[in-house]
Amino acid sequence: FITVSPPILNLYLQNYPYLKGRAFSVPNAAKYENLLENKKLDKKQVAEKKKIIFLYQGVIDRDRGIEELLQAWREENVQNAELIIRGPS
């Protein structure tokens, strides 16, 4: 049994004790702090709201709207912002 969050896992384990050792949590999103460290973003700029982070995190595949997102990002020429795309292909 797999769930995407530790709180959900804990709820299941409380209600179904027989799942202990057979149920696991696999988060589908990285912690924000890890994202900043991995991207080497300037945490001070982000904290002071001098830089806005737009994050797409999910499957990178056709028909997910990524092409449209990239096109809109280029057309708008967004300043003081960074677009981060993460996920499995």
Side-chain angles (χ1 to χ4, degrees):
F1 181 79
I2 298 174
T3 181
V4 296
S5 90
I8 293 173
L9 175 62
N10 290 336
L11 181 65
Y12 273 99
L13 292 175
Q14 287 173 359
N15 291 309
Y16 308 102
Y18 63 87
L19 289 175
K20 188 173 183 174
R22 300 187 316 182
F24 304 93
S25 172
V26 179
N28 62 0
K31 290 184 178 180
Y32 185 69
E33 293 81 16
N34 294 347
L35 178 65
L36 292 177
E37 289 173 13
N38 291 340
K39 287 295 296 172
K40 306 286 190 245
L41 295 172
D42 185 337
K43 292 180 186 179
K44 186 175 180 184
Q45 282 188 347
V46 173
E48 293 175 358
K49 298 187 176 156
K50 292 181 182 176
K51 188 173 219 177
I52 299 171
I53 307 234
F54 291 88
L55 171 66
Y56 169 89
Q57 182 162 313
V59 175
I60 299 173
D61 203 352
R62 278 187 218 168
D63 301 322
R64 298 294 291 196
I66 298 171
E67 294 87 359
E68 292 84 357
L69 172 62
L70 292 173
Q71 181 179 349
W73 190 264
R74 283 190 297 267
E75 289 175 3
E76 290 299 319
N77 192 24
V78 180
Q79 302 295 314
N80 297 324
E82 184 165 342
L83 172 63
I84 299 172
I85 298 176
R86 300 177 46 152
S89 57

